[in-house]
């Protein structure tokens, strides 16, 4: 063959492939993050949805955004809602459409609007988000302008019957999506791993097509599977069925095998990727990617819960969704630092009380090996305690499919929770069937399993007695019949009352018990009081401080916690770590004041204020705790032994807790706790009286700070003495200055009694020798300089970088 002809033929082939790839790229799905350059105005604004409304005087901001956390704390406000005014706000965004979008579908995807919201596009209402924890997709194809600006307007309201702090506004991501008229539906990929051995795993993929009802085009559906290290390992294909009259055309692909699977677990959260592609006439018309994990879930009254055939006991928290100083705004980094902290303290579990959390929350739970009980609702109510615009009876049938389809591919999600504490009143238990929610649960369970038959369902129960018997009832201490709902749920989830679980089992021996809420006031007793071998696990209520549900001004929220809202640990956090991990540990917590407590859902909640420093009043005697999982602890004060005490492991109220009274402080010095097993030292904790404050120490968390306009940097400032030791008892105001390719979005100090609005300026008072700045990156990589200043001390400066 002529060499020149061969060369021209090869060149033609290359050009043809390039043209096909270019065409495929043009026709593939476009998903654009639409979080930047919004306009915002607080309060009611007439005609704000109109296209020609003049919003030039509005504030410009980027999402996610919580306008409620930016409002002043007001003493007359609702304590349950965080002493913030319940109000409304408007968002607007203008953009130009790309002509390449013509003849394609263009959609807006809102992940949520808090507490509820309405959306207009070019003056026409296109969506109502009645339950703000779940989002929606709005088709703007027929309304889009290609010759002038397009305007999105969003109305948001925090007015509703929530009983906790919700945040307000566009608190999660917004995306613009451009795709073919025939495409993969919203949340339309469902991946399961039905059969797993050490040698192989079956991968089953179902794809839901959008725009294919009654269609007869030749559409090939392909799924490529990639290993955790990014290598393609297998592929499966099928042809879309033709002439299906249903709106949702669900297509199962042939099952494929992955050899030597890397199992997803808490210790090894390995993630595979599926790349789903639709091909028509040789062209890619749509494509999406989904991550998933290969793992097995088992629940049984014989062993509680097994992951990959191995017994795992859930050790977790049940919290509301806010994230400290940024409020409810769902920043990935704010969530990630929570997971990093929890993992470090031995936790493996979060229950999403009492609503779906953000998509990024579950993505990060997958990454960090956190086991999630994913909860959709609080009460099944028509009004009271119902955080939505429309009542339960009008929302459940649309909310559940959106929720399940959104979250079902996450290996971190191990169970669906359909509600919380329904037995308080009959009208909070769903449909009026006179059975404390049993019929409603069965209906919701059927709908849940329509979209995911692989996971168990539950409901968190209080009161934890049949016939809604509570502490106020005379029979509370004699009638231990478990609630009616617990007899039908696949896992029996009880809020508190761990002391009664064995008596429940006498009435109903088939219960598989999960303590969906435990009180932090009882410390490790709820954990040690469970049957580890046969029960599912525990979630401590409010393990991290959250806004709202305060028991009185000036406290702005729940603080009977192990970590403050800035994620600094309280002394008791180390007690929980001593129970949750096998790592030898001892930690000193000095009693600061008398315990604060109150009755809450038939239990006493509260906390003994303790701290881990040795700057006390001269000549005083101190009471303190040592928290340890060792056999015994010896306490040394200025080098002299104060005694040795044993860890009383056979008493769940005292286990890992050793109390010391009248420990002499004198004029300071040091105190050391030495923990021993079998007479050998395994851990120690030392506190020292510090000198005068002489300097500031700056620490930053995010070593891979992304220049994506979304990533956060948390910068901590501590006041230290000449030896670099944190000085805990000091007053003063820290002033932060930031320059470079980032901006300051909030300051914080961990004080839950604060009157500070975190975003209003660059100043914050010290609290326990601590302050913190939260920075948000720009979309350009470069350097950032932060300076921290306090009167009387030398200012401290740190240079940071953001990376593409």
């Amino acid at each position: 063959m002529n060499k020149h002809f061969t060369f021209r033929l090869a060149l033609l082939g290359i050009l043809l492939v390039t043209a096909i790839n270019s065409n495929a790229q043009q026709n593939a799905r476009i998903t654009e993050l639409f979080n930047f350059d919004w306009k915002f105005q607080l309060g009611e604004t007439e005609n704000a949805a109109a296209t020609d409304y003049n919003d030039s005087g509005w504030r410009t901001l980027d999402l996610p955004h919580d306008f409620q956390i930016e409002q002043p704390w007001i003493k007359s406000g609702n304590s349950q809602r965080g002493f913030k005014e319940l109000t409304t706000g408007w968002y607007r965004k203008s953009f130009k459409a790309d002509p390449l979008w013509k003849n394609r579908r263009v959609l807006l995807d809102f992940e949520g609007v808090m507490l509820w919201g309405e959306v207009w596009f070019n003056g026409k209402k296109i969506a109502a988000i009645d339950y703000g924890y779940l989002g929606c997709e709005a088709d703007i194809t027929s309304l889009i302008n290609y010759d002038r600006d397009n305007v999105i307007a969003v109305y948001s309201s925090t007015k509703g019957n929530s009983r906790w702090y919700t945040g307000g506004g566009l608190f999660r991501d917004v995306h613009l999506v451009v795709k073919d008229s025939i495409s993969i539906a919203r949340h339309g990929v469902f991946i399961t791993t039905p059969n797993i051995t050490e040698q192989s795993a079956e991968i089953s993929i179902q794809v839901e097509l959008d725009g294919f009802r009654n269609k007869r085009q030749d559409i090939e559906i392909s799924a490529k599977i990639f290993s955790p290290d990014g290598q393609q390992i297998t592929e499966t294909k099928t042809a879309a069925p033709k002439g299906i009259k249903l709106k949702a055309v669900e297509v199962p692909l042939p099952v494929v095998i992955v050899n030597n699977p890397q199992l997803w677990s808490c210790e090894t959260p390995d993630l595979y990727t599926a790349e789903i592609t639709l091909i028509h006439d040789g062209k890619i018309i749509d494509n999406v990617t989904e991550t998933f994990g290969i793992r097995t879930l088992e629940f049984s009254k014989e062993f509680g819960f097994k992951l990959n055939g191995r017994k795992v006991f859930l050790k977790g928290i049940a919290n509301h969704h806010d994230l400290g100083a940024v409020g409810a705004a769902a920043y990935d980094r704010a969530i990630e630092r929570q997971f990093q902290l929890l993992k470090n303290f031995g936790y493996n579990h979060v229950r999403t009380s009492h609503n779906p959390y953000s998509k990024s929350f579950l993505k990060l739970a997958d990454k960090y090996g956190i086991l999630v009980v994913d909860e959709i609702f609080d009460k099944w109510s028509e009004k009271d305690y119902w955080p939505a615009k429309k009542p339960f009876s009008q929302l459940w049938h649309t909310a559940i499919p959106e929720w399940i389809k959104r979250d079902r591919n996450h290996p971190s999600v191990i169970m669906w929770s359909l509600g919380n504490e329904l037995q308080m009143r009959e009208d909070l238990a769903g449909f009026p069937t006179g059975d404390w929610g049993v019929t409603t649960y069965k209906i919701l369970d059927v709908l849940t399993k329509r979209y995911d038959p692989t996971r168990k369902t539950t409901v968190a129960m209080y009161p934890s007695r049949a016939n809604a018997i509570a502490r106020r009832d005379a029979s509370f201490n004699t009638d231990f019949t478990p609630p009616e709902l617990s007899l039908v749920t696949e896992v029996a989830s009880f809020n508190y009352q761990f002391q009664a679980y064995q008596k429940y089992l006498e009435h109903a021996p088939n219960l598989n018990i999960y303590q969906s809420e435990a009180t932090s006031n009882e410390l490790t007793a709820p954990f040690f009081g469970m049957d580890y071998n046969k029960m599912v696990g525990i979630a401590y209520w409010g393990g991290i401080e959250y806004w709202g549900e305060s028991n009185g001004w000036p406290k702005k929220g729940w603080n009977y916690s192990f970590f403050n809202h800035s994620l600094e640990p309280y002394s008791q956090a180390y007690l929980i770590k001593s129970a949750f991990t096998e790592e030898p540990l001892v930690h000193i917590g000095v009693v600061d004041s008398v315990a604060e407590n109150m009755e809450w859902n038939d239990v006493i909640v509260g906390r003994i204020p303790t701290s881990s420093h040795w700057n006390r009043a001269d000549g005083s005697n101190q009471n303190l705790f040592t928290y340890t999982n060792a056999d015994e602890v010896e306490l040394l004060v200025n080098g002299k032994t104060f005694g040795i005490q044993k860890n009383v492991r056979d008493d769940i109220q005292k286990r890992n807790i050793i109390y010391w009274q009248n420990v002499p402080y004198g004029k300071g010095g040091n105190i050391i706790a030495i923990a021993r097993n079998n007479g050998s030292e395994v851990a120690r904790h030392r506190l020292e009286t510090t000198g005068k404050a002489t300097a500031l120490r700056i620490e930053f968390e995010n070593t891979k700070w992304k220049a994506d306009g979304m990533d956060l940097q948390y910068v901590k400032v501590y006041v230290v003495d000449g030896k670099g030791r944190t000085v805990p008892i000091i007053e003063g105001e820290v002033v932060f200055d930031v320059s470079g390719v980032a901006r300051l979005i909030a300051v914080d100090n961990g004080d839950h009694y604060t009157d500070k609005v975190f975003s209003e300026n660059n100043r914050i008072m010290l609290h326990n020798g601590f302050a913190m700045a939260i920075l948000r990156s720009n979309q350009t990589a470069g350097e950032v300089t932060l300076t921290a200043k306090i009167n009387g001390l030398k200012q401290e400066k740190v240079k940071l970088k953001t990376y593409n």
Side-chain angles (χ1 to χ4, degrees), residues 118-129:
E118 298 171 336
V119 184
W120 284 261
F121 184 74
N122 288 339
K124 183 175 180 180
K125 186 176 178 180
I126 58 171
I129 301 175

Side-chain angles (χ1 to χ4, degrees), residues 131 161 163-164 351 354 375-387 391-392 418-425 427-430 444 459-460 462 495 517 549 601:
Y131 186 53
N161 292 316
R163 59 186 181 89
W164 58 81
R351 170 181 166 230
H354 306 290
E375 191 159 272
I376 184 171
F377 296 134
D378 186 22
K379 317 292 184 270
W380 299 335
S381 170
E382 296 298 279
K383 183 179 179 182
D384 291 350
Y385 309 120
W386 181 246
F392 166 79
L418 302 176
N420 174 67
E421 297 182 349
L422 314 169
Q423 300 85 3
M424 291 171 60
R425 296 196 322 243
D427 63 314
L428 304 178
L444 270 55
V459 173
Y462 164 79
N495 290 352
E517 291 179 21
E549 294 194 301
N601 288 2

